[in-house]
Structure formats: structure tokens, C-alpha cells
Amino acid sequence: MSGTPSHHYLVALADGGGTVPAELGVARRLVDRGHRVTALVDESMAGPSRATGAAVHLWSARPSTEFRDWAIRNPLELAKSMSEHYLAGPAPGHSADTLAAIDSARPDLVVTTFFTLGAMIAAEARSVPFDVLMPNVYIAPVPGRPPGGAGMRPMRGPLGRVRDRMAGSATTRLLDRYTVEPLNRVRARNGLGPIEHTWDQLHRARRELVLTTAEFEFPGDYPANVRFVGPVLDDPAWAVAEHFAPPDGDAPLVLVALSSTFQNHADCLQRIADALRALPVRGYMTTGPAIPPELIDAPGNTAVVASAPHREAMRHASVVVTHGGHGTVMKALAAGLPLVVLHHGRDQADNAARVVKRGAGVAVPRRAPADEIAAAIEKVLAHDRYRLAAARLGEAINRDVAANALLDELGSLAPVTAPPRSP
């Protein structure tokens, strides 16, 4: 962009499934502004990463385990698996690769995700400022706000403060149990002192850039380096070129969009299809790359496809039925569409809690029978308050997207001095 200083960004990303389109969208926007971008990514992201215009290098580290969170019920096992797959496990390799990239490319800023903690350590060791992208609600505990992970809604008064403090402390201890010691070994190898909590590494960032709108998030006493900059609404690369062809007719269109990664959700998709069978609606179900469309026994009023451009589909839809992934929720709200959320795991319960609290939809259990899902869809279609609440959030989201706060924050390489924009 003419008149804008050109910088060199080293973007260190990991394949988190639904987070990839937003994070690669950041890289693409930096390139489009005339900046030089080098991307360190997982092999699964290589093609879409090159399409952004960035110079792409692959991590030498590979996850040593498969993250099967959908099969894990024990919180200790879940925390251990997440640390091994995403956090502590890849950190030594991520650190070494990032050090080499910094020494070779001399970037002005390193941009990481929460998963690439090793890249943060490398940037800190080389005294290069780094920003952290969060393509979801704010992930770390915040005083005055319920902790993430359990889908808690705000609770006022002394009892609420005690609940939030105890739950936040428990979440931190659980994550630290499997993450802090191996991270401190990586820090020591890079000449850095130890951290007390996993979150401390995150808070060393110049800025923590939350890719959501402040009106969606719950209020709290956020760190001074936190910025709510609005979402990136890009469709995934595998869906952009697909053709949107809904069923014929003028009945309300129900868009069904569950996880793009496998969460053992084929049965959930089938129950949603059975719910649509009983309703005077048209259904349009996208299964994503994880579930073959032919596994779903679709009723006559429902089209089932592997993928479709959600932005196009949402222009025609009346309601979105989803697992509650942040990207799908943001796109639906930006289109003014209310939601029915059957949250599965990860950050989805937290997104569902915010949808419900803001009045923009309803949540039902992921194992709900077809008649309960049908009743939820009918409820959202029948009451205009859900659509109006979704439209209000959509105005805030579209305002933030148009304001380009994300690119302005990344483009200004001055130290953080201004207070955060809190919800």
C-alpha cells in the first residue's frame, strides 16, 4: 500500500484446524499491504500458505502424537495430550526453526499463535518483538471473567468471584502440570530464565491480538497488551471455489456447518439431518473434509455436500446449526444469522456460552436427539429476538473488520503504551 512503511514479518503457525483460515488470512493481508512475510508452518498448511504470497518454510518438528481430543474424557489426559501435541511437545523444534529463521531473515516482528510457544521463546531469546494471534475468544484466565474451557457464563457477586478464581486457578494448574517444566528447559537452552505459569510466556508478547469483537467477549480486567481487533472471515481454501446450490423452494434455509477436523461427529450430523427431515425448511449441510457426505442419510429437503463457500451460503440462510467453532460463529453473526450450537470441545463451549448470553441463539447438547435439535431450530426461527441480537453483534463484527485494527496493530512496531480495548 502506497505510503505505508514495508516491514518483514516472520509468521509462525501450527495446524489447529479451524484456526488456519483466519491465521493465513492475516498473512495474506500483510502481503497485500506490501509487506514481506516469511511463514513457518506445518506441512498440512503448505499449499494454502504459499497461496497467501508468503515465503513458506516447513517446521522440522512433527507432532509425536495424534490429538484425539474427541475420544478423551479425563481432564488430566486431555491436558497431557494437548501439551504433547501442540504446546510443549513441538516447542524445542519450533524454537530451533524460529531461531534459524530469525538469524537468516532478520524480521521486524514475529507473529505466532498460542500453539507455537517455542517460536515465542526464540523471539524473546533474540530480542525480536513478537505478537500472538488468538483466532477465538481470549484464552488465558482474566480477573472478573469466567475462565475458558468449560462454557461458564458470568456470575456476579462474591460467589461469582470465588468461582472464577478457583476455576481459573484449577485450569492453570492443569495446563502447567504438563507444559511449564518442558518449556522452561527450552527457555534455559536459549539463555532465558524460567516462567512460573504457561500463560507467562504468552504475556511476554508485545501484543495479544484477539480475533473477535469486544461485544462478543465477556468483560474482565484484561492485560494491557490485549487488543480486540475483530475476526478474519475468510473461508478455508478447500471451500472457496465450490458451487453453492441449495434445495429448490422458498422455505427457510438452515445451514449446517460442523467441524472441519474430525471430532467423531458423523452421528451428530445424522441426527441434525433427521431433525431437518421433520421441519418445513430447506437444509444445506456441509460435512467438511473429515466426514464423507455419503455417510449421511439425507432427507429430501436437505442437500449434503463436502464443502461450500459459507459466506455465499449465509447470504441465503435463516439460521446456522454448528458445533460452535469460532470461525463459523463469527461468519454467521457477521451475516446477521442466529445460531443453534451443539458444542463438541476445544473452545466451542465458550463460544456457545457467549452466543446464548448475547441472545443470538441457543445451545443444545451434542448428543441431543433429533426431536430436541428440531425444537431448537424451530425456536430460533420462530422468535425474531434471536435474529435481532445476531444482527447487533454482526454490526460490531463488520465495524471491526472494516476498521482494519488488526493490520494497524501489526503495522505499528512501536512498543505498547495505550490501554487495552476491553469488552
Side-chain angles (χ1 to χ4, degrees), residues 134 136-138 145 154 208-220 222 226-231 326 330 333 354-355 357-358 392-401 403 405 419-423:
M134 295 188 192
N136 36 40
V137 296
Y138 188 69
R145 188 204 72 169
E208 300 174 49
L209 300 173
V210 191
L211 306 187
T212 196
T213 190
E215 284 81 351
F216 182 70
E217 180 59 285
F218 291 148
Y222 290 85
V226 169
R227 302 289 187 273
F228 291 87
V229 294
H326 185 265
M330 287 293 106
L333 294 175
R354 286 155 178 78
V355 167
K357 179 66 175 177
R358 302 307 186 203
R392 285 193 295 271
L393 285 172
E395 289 176 1
I397 291 168
N398 290 318
R399 175 206 67 209
D400 286 350
V401 170
R421 179 185 166 203
S422 297

Side-chain angles (χ1 to χ4, degrees), residues 233-273:
L233 301 176
D234 295 1
D235 281 328
W238 44 264
V240 170
E242 296 295 330
H243 178 62
F244 171 64
D248 293 335
D250 56 5
L253 182 67
V254 178
L255 174 64
V256 181
L258 267 61
S259 180
S260 59
T261 58
F262 187 78
Q263 289 192 270
N264 199 30
H265 57 284
D267 179 66
C268 184
L269 283 169
Q270 184 60 60
R271 281 181 279 109
I272 295 170

Side-chain angles (χ1 to χ4, degrees), residues 32 54 78 82-83 109 112 117 124-125 176 227 237 244 288 292 301 362:
D32 288 346
L78 181 60
M82 175 177 284
S83 183
L109 183 73
T112 80
L117 292 165
E124 188 180 347
D176 288 350
R227 302 289 187 273
F244 171 64
N301 64 343
V362 301

Side-chain angles (χ1 to χ4, degrees), residues 17-39:
T19 64
V20 170
E23 290 166 348
L24 291 184
V26 174
R28 180 181 297 106
R29 284 157 175 78
L30 289 171
V31 171
D32 288 346
R33 275 208 170 185
H35 299 297
R36 179 183 169 200
V37 178
T38 300

Side-chain angles (χ1 to χ4, degrees), residues 4 6 16 20 24 26 94 98 153 165 177 249 264 287 321 338 345 347 382 419:
T4 301
S6 179
V20 170
L24 291 184
V26 174
H94 284 173
T98 306
R153 300 183 209 174
R165 187 166 57 249
R177 178 172 182 167
N264 199 30
T287 63
V321 180
D347 65 333

Side-chain angles (χ1 to χ4, degrees), residues 172-207:
T172 297
R173 286 197 305 271
L174 188 61
L175 184 63
D176 288 350
R177 178 172 182 167
Y178 301 104
T179 307
V180 165
E181 185 177 340
L183 278 187
N184 277 335
R185 288 197 294 269
V186 179
R187 289 182 60 83
R189 284 198 293 271
N190 284 276
L192 301 173
I195 54 175
E196 184 177 359
H197 301 297
T198 306
W199 309 118
D200 296 340
Q201 183 62 65
L202 187 74
H203 298 326
R204 281 171 157 74
R206 185 193 70 134
R207 288 181 174 88

Side-chain angles (χ1 to χ4, degrees), residues 334-418:
L337 296 177
L339 298 118
V340 174
V341 184
L342 296 90
H343 57 84
H344 285 50
R346 304 176 188 177
D347 65 333
Q348 295 151 27
D350 295 329
N351 295 326
R354 286 155 178 78
V355 167
V356 173
K357 179 66 175 177
R358 302 307 186 203
V362 301
V364 296
R366 65 170 291 185
R367 293 181 176 81
D371 58 351
E372 186 175 348
I373 298 170
I377 295 171
E378 281 187 306
K379 181 179 180 180
V380 171
L381 287 172
H383 296 285
D384 209 37
R385 66 179 184 270
Y386 296 111
R387 184 188 61 79
L388 293 174
R392 285 193 295 271
L393 285 172
E395 289 176 1
I397 291 168
N398 290 318
R399 175 206 67 209
D400 286 350
V401 170
N404 273 329
L406 167 65
L407 292 178
D408 291 343
E409 293 287 354
L410 288 170
S412 172
L413 299 185
V416 173
T417 56

